[in-house]
Amino acid sequence: MRKIILFVLLKILKYIKSLSVKYHKKHAYKEGEGSRTLTYWRNVHRDFFISEYASINQTFDEDQIMVCEEFECLFTK
């Protein structure tokens, strides 16, 4: 079996601290997932966070503070 090693070098451009319910359309678009809409982003991430929080016996609350980051990919291998 062949091992695959992936190396990625990222440059963090900025951090965005916001309530998840106030997540910005622009950032959702930049993330590039699905239809690139805020509605799509919220639905997919809500489902993910609900599942992750449940795995540690916690409840996800959309009024929690979320920290997102914008980054630039400098190198991949």
Side-chain angles (χ1 to χ4, degrees), residues 2 4 9 23 35-37 41-42 54-55 57 63 65-66 68 72 76-77:
R2 185 176 158 199
I4 297 175
L9 179 62
Y23 196 76
S35 64
R36 300 182 95 167
T37 63
W41 187 94
R42 280 190 182 139
S55 74
N57 298 317
D63 290 327
I65 298 291
M66 170 179 284
C68 300
E72 176 183 350
T76 62
K77 181 173 182 177

Side-chain angles (χ1 to χ4, degrees), residues 24-33 35-38:
H24 302 284
K25 290 180 190 178
K26 185 167 67 171
H27 196 84
Y29 180 83
K30 285 180 180 180
E31 209 168 284
E33 296 176 352
S35 64
R36 300 182 95 167
T37 63
L38 183 55

Side-chain angles (χ1 to χ4, degrees), residues 12-29:
I12 304 299
L13 301 174
K14 72 173 143 175
Y15 290 99
I16 302 162
K17 190 165 106 174
S18 176
L19 293 175
S20 62
V21 295
K22 294 191 176 188
Y23 196 76
H24 302 284
K25 290 180 190 178
K26 185 167 67 171
H27 196 84
Y29 180 83

